[in-house]
Structure formats: structure tokens, C-alpha cells
């Protein structure tokens, strides 16, 4: 009789505390939307989200659904298990959004080998749900 | 109108540097304060200002266990001016604030301190609880959910850009770690941190943390307190000879986040520093650059104009130009990679020690008169230009 031991589950992602300002970003994935704060007065984006536009200080801001595509600005392949049972290696990347080039998201590029990532790679958003938070991750566009 | 005074560093002190020291955080702080007072020739009743970065952090005690308030109370200081806080452009800005205070006459002699207790705290989590990671607030919510939990994961991405865009090699990056190791072996205060020589082969074979950083590219948690006393020019008759003048200070922020900056704040801090002085990079005899990760000093070389932007890795290639007997000795005490994570203040301490010619076996040759010390270099950065008149 062989005894098989199931691998421990990977740790949960540290979860942001949701509030009125950050909720659209962290829950937009429920509708498949990447939401970034947009200012109709000056046309610019504010990220991390704020209740004022950081470019013109207008209070007339609202989350706007983005295309969800971008390019890899830079990245690192992480080998250190910062938390117990964290599976390594994995990719941490800065993704510059196509339709808001001043906005950079730190994220994970998933669904590819770690050595398949490079600068300027085209990527698109995919969402991973955990406890009601929809984490925007990215995968390479074939 | 009253003329602005000049500011001088009249004394420096450093406690034992170690890992899991039995001495308490206040004990370490008192050791460093008493040493700095002796060095400056001052007594406690002459101190009328206290400054620290970032002040006591109750939720993260190993990072900053001692507050300005506790030092004032424990030492019975009659402070006319004091400040402690984290919302300033990097660690050495606490010293820059003290410089401003004495120049304006708010105080005559200011104790500036930074006490770290991270190594001890990690071994005694019951006394110093680590941060809980289930929920993340503030800026960390934009990085921690992706397990980009350490600054290594953030700075590593700037270093990857230098490799992919500008051609930096791991052998060039290694020179910062090898230089720090070599110099730490000559520094008595680093004997608990660095015990043996590091070779390039060992570096190349070390386990990776996050590309391009291996274990030796990351500074080492330690327990220590470092003190710098800043004195006004019209109070120099009260202090020991050999004060070092603070010729200029600079600090800047790019974005108050680690995920949004497209360049590091050091690149704005360098030109700002030179705009405040007649000194030029060619006048500098030694540089003490923040090296929480090995890439920081390479970016500081570029930011301060010691080489072209994008060419810092070429400057350090082979390690000879930055060695103690090189043209620009860098991190002569070992830096944080070799002498422990003193979190910025160690660089000011080492710069003063070198300018006074008191660095013993690691003393740079000649008669050094000008030094730069920096801290930070990510979203926040600060620099001090020190000169011996």
C-alpha cells in the first residue's frame, strides 16, 4: 500500500481591504472588466485609484472599463518562497496598459513558462477570483 | 536679516552590529548615542534637538523599535526641536531636516538616530510580531497580492531593465557585492555580519531570490543603532575638532508608490544635489551609496553624474575603479551588503569616518575632503554631500 500525500494548497493571495475607492478595481473582474479611474474633464487616468484626478484634481472621476491589453514594461522571475508553500518560480511583471500608457500594473504573468517572458511582450488580462476579490493577472497574447 | 548658519556633523556613533543580539533596542540606541556624544565632545545637556526616520512603528517593531519620544524621555533631553517620520524622501532626509533646523536656529546640537532590530525580531516573533499578510492596506495592496512582497521584487525589475536594455551582466552586478564583502572584512563593526571572503564563483552559483538578484545582492537583516550629531556653525566652539560640513542635501520623490514609477527617484536627486553647491562630481573622494540591493549603487553612479545614464554597470566592471584604492572608492565600510542593513544611516557614518581619516585598515588613501552619502533610490531618494574644510 502506498501512501500518497497531497501537496499543501498554495497560500492565498494577500487580500486588499475593499473600500469605496478601490472596490471597482478589485471586483471589476466579476464582469470581466479591468476598471481604471478616468477623468472625463482632462481625459487622463489615475492609478492607484483616488477620489480626485491626480492630473487636474477634478472630483468628477469614475471607473472606466479598459480593453485589458498591455505590454510587459519589465519583469522579474521570483524564486524565493516569501510565504509557506508558495510555488516558485513565477513571473512578477509591470504591465503598461495599451489604452492608458501612464498606468502600470504590477501583476503576475501566468499560463506560460517563466523563461517565455520578455520585454515588450503583448499580454491580456485574465481574472483569478478569491474570496470575492478578482485579481487581474495577465497572459501572453499568442 | 539673519544669515543662515552652516551645519556640521560633529560626532558619529554606532552600537555593536549583529544578528539576534541580546541587547535591547534602547540599549543599542544608548550605546550609539553615548559614543556619538563622546566623539563630538558634547554632554547630554547640550543636546536640544532629536531627529529620526521613520519614528517608532508599533505594528512593525523590528523595523523601527525606538521613537524620538522615547529617546527624549530616556535621555532627559530638553528639546527645542524634534521630528520623526517616514513620509520624507528616504532615510537620510532625517539628517537633512536636522541640517535645516540648525541652519535656521531651531536647535544647536541634534541627535539623529536610526535603530534597527530586524534580525532579533525575526528570531523572537512573540515579542516582535511580524506583519500579518492576510489583508494588505495602502500601497502594498498593489504589489503584495502578486506575491511581490519584498522590495527585491520591485527593485529587481529596474535591474532587469538595465540588463535587457543596457546590457548589464550578472558579473558586473556582482562587483557591488564583492566590493562590499572585501571592504567589510576590513571593518571591525562588520565582523558579526561578514566573516569570510566571497568569490565571484560563489556569487554566480548562489541561489536566486528574484532575477537578477541572488542571495548576495540583498542586504542582511541586522540589529544596530547608528547616531549622527548635527551641530550649528555658531556652536562649533563647544565640540571636538574635526567636524565635517554638510555642503548640500537633496531629496526627491517620483511617485508615492512602488508600482507606478517609470524611473528611480535617485535620477532627480542627483542633479538637485549639484544645483545646491559649487562642488562637482570630480571633486568627490568617496561615495557611500545605499545598497539595500546591489543595483542601487549602480543607479546612484548614473544619477549623480559619475557616468552616463545607462552606463553604471560599465563603471563598476571589474571592480577596480570602486575599490578602496580605486578612483572612486564605494561603500568602503562594506555597505549594507557587507556590514548589515543599517537602513541608510551607516552611509553617513562611514562618510564622516573616512573624511576624518579614522577608517583604519579600510581608510582610503590621500587626503579625502569630499564624500557623498545616499539613501533609498526607488520611489524616494536622498543624498548628503559632506566636506572637510
Amino acid at each position: 500500500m502506498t501512501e500518497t500525500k497531497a501537496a499543501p494548497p498554495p497560500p492565498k493571495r494577500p487580500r486588499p481591504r475593499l473600500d469605496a475607492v478601490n472596490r471597482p478595481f478589485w471586483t471589476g473582474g466579476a464582469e470581466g472588466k479591468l476598471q481604471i479611474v478616468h477623468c472625463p474633464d482632462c481625459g487622463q487616468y489615475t492609478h492607484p485609484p483616488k477620489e480626485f484626478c491626480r492630473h487636474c484634481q477634478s472630483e468628477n472621476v469614475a471607473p472606466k472599463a479598459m480593453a485589458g491589453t498591455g505590454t510587459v514594461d519589465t519583469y522579474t522571475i521570483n524564486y524565493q518562497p516569501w510565504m509557506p508553500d508558495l510555488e516558485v518560480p513565477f513571473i512578477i511583471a509591470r504591465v503598461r496598459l495599451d489604452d492608458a500608457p501612464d498606468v502600470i500594473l504590477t501583476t503576475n504573468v501566468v499560463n506560460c513558462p517563466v523563461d517565455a517572458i520578455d520585454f515588450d511582450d503583448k499580454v491580456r488580462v485574465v481574472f483569478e477570483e478569491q474570496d470575492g476579490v478578482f485579481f487581474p493577472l495577465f497572459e501572453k497574447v499568442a | 536679516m539673519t544669515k543662515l548658519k552652516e551645519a556640521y556633523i560633529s560626532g558619529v556613533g554606532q552600537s555593536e552590529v549583529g544578528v539576534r543580539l541580546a541587547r535591547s533596542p534602547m540599549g543599542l540606541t544608548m550605546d550609539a548615542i553615548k559614543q556619538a556624544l563622546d566623539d563630538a565632545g558634547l554632554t547630554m545637556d547640550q543636546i536640544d534637538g532629536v531627529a529620526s526616520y521613520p519614528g517608532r512603528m508599533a505594528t512593525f517593531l523590528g523595523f523601527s523599535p525606538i521613537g524620538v519620544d522615547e529617546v527624549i524621555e530616556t535621555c532627559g533631553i530638553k528639546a527645542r526641536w524634534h521630528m520623526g517620520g517616514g513620509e520624507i524622501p528616504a532615510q537620510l532626509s532625517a539628517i537633512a531636516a536636522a541640517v535645516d533646523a540648525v541652519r535656521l536656529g531651531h536647535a544647536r546640537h541634534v541627535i539623529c538616530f536610526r535603530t534597527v532590530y530586524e534580525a532579533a525580531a525575526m528570531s523572537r516573533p512573540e515579542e516582535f510580531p511580524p506583519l500579518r499578510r492576510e489583508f494588505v492596506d495602502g500601497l502594498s495592496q498593489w504589489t503584495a497580492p502578486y506575491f511581490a512582497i519584498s522590495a527585491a521584487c520591485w527593485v529587481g525589475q529596474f535591474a532587469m531593465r538595465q540588463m535587457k536594455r543596457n546590457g548589464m551582466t550578472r558579473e558586473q552586478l556582482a562587483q557591488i557585492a564583492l566590493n562590499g564583502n572585501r571592504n567589510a572584512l576590513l571593518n571591525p563593526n562588520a565582523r558579526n555580519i561578514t566573516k569570510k571572503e566571497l568569490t565571484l564563483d560563489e556569487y554566480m552559483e548562489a541561489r536566486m531570490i528574484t532575477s537578477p538578484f541572488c542571495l548576495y545582492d540583498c542586504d542582511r537583516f541586522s540589529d544596530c543603532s547608528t547616531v549622527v550629531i548635527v551641530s550649528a556653525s555658531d556652536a562649533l566652539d563647544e565640540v571636538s575638532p574635526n567636524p565635517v560640513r554638510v555642503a548640500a542635501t537633496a531629496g526627491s520623490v517620483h511617485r508615492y508608490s512602488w508600482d507606478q514609477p517609470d524611473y528611480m527617484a535617485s535620477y532627480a536627486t542627483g542633479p538637485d544635489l549639484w544645483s545646491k553647491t559649487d562642488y562637482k562630481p570630480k571633486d568627490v573622494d568617496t561615495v557611500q551609496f545605499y545598497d539595500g540591493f546591489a543595483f542601487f549603487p549602480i543607479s546612484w553612479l548614473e544619477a549623480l553624474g559619475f557616468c552616463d545614464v545607462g552606463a553604471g554597470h560599465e563603471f563598476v566592471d571589474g571592480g577596480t575603479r570602486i575599490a578602496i584604492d580605486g578612483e572612486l572608492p564605494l561603500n568602503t565600510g562594506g555597505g549594507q551588503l557587507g556590514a548589515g542593513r543599517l537602513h541608510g544611516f551607516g552611509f553617513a557614518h562611514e562618510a564622516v569616518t573616512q573624511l576624518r581619516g579614522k577608517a583604519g585598515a579600510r581608510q582610503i588613501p590621500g587626503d579625502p575632503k569630499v564624500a557623498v552619502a545616499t539613501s533609498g533610490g526607488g520611489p524616494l531618494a536622498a543624498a548628503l554631500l559632506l566636506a572637510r574644510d
Side-chain angles (χ1 to χ4, degrees), chain B residues 170-239:
Chain B
R170 281 196 67 212
E171 286 81 356
Q172 290 168 330
L173 184 62
Q175 296 306 323
I176 301 299
L178 297 178
N179 179 69
N181 171 267
R182 267 194 304 272
N183 296 345
L185 290 170
L186 303 172
N187 178 0
N189 282 17
R191 70 166 69 93
N192 290 333
I193 305 295
T194 288
K195 297 184 168 68
K196 67 180 185 62
E197 187 190 344
L198 173 68
T199 67
L200 181 60
D201 284 347
E202 284 172 301
Y203 173 95
M204 295 302 286
E205 287 161 18
R207 70 184 174 88
M208 293 299 290
I209 302 297
T210 192
S211 62
F213 296 150
C214 70
L215 189 63
Y216 295 114
D217 292 313
C218 307
D219 63 1
R220 286 183 266 179
F221 290 133
S222 49
D223 311 320
C224 176
S225 182
T226 306
V227 166
V228 170
I229 298 180
V230 174
S231 296
S233 49
D234 63 354
L236 291 185
D237 57 341
E238 299 170 26
V239 307

Side-chain angles (χ1 to χ4, degrees), chain B residues 34-227:
Chain B
K34 287 176 180 171
Q35 200 184 106
L37 286 172
D38 283 350
D39 187 39
L42 290 167
T43 56
M44 199 74 86
D45 58 9
Q46 291 170 285
I47 299 297
D48 57 0
V50 183
S52 185
Y53 169 93
R56 185 173 187 268
M57 291 182 71
T59 56
F60 200 11
L61 265 178
F63 184 72
S64 190
I66 299 295
V68 168
D69 54 346
E70 291 165 286
V71 166
I72 287 172
E73 274 301 289
T74 305
C75 299
I77 292 169
K78 302 280 183 288
R80 294 194 295 137
W81 177 88
H82 69 285
M83 76 120 229
E87 292 173 345
I88 55 175
Q91 300 91 335
L92 291 177
S93 294
I95 296 175
V99 166
D100 291 344
V102 302
R103 293 190 74 197
L104 290 164
H106 299 321
R108 290 165 66 79
H109 303 288
V110 180
I111 284 177
C112 306
F113 73 95
R114 177 83 183 95
T115 302
V116 289
Y117 209 56
E118 291 179 283
M122 283 178 183
S123 68
R124 303 209 291 274
E126 66 285 357
E127 274 182 81
F128 301 93
L131 278 181
R132 283 174 57 82
R133 297 283 187 202
E134 186 184 349
F135 283 100
V136 282
D137 289 308
L139 293 175
S140 61
Q141 73 177 289
W142 308 108
T143 48
Y146 303 101
F147 304 112
I149 285 165
S150 165
C153 306
W154 316 330
V155 181
Q157 296 186 79
F158 287 110
M160 284 298 283
R161 190 183 277 164
Q162 190 86 347
M163 299 191 101
K164 292 275 184 169
R165 299 283 196 213
N166 301 328
M168 180 175 76
T169 64
R170 281 196 67 212
E171 286 81 356
Q172 290 168 330
L173 184 62
Q175 296 306 323
I176 301 299
L178 297 178
N179 179 69
N181 171 267
R182 267 194 304 272
N183 296 345
L185 290 170
L186 303 172
N187 178 0
N189 282 17
R191 70 166 69 93
N192 290 333
I193 305 295
T194 288
K195 297 184 168 68
K196 67 180 185 62
E197 187 190 344
L198 173 68
T199 67
L200 181 60
D201 284 347
E202 284 172 301
Y203 173 95
M204 295 302 286
E205 287 161 18
R207 70 184 174 88
M208 293 299 290
I209 302 297
T210 192
S211 62
F213 296 150
C214 70
L215 189 63
Y216 295 114
D217 292 313
C218 307
D219 63 1
R220 286 183 266 179
F221 290 133
S222 49
D223 311 320
C224 176
S225 182
T226 306
V227 166

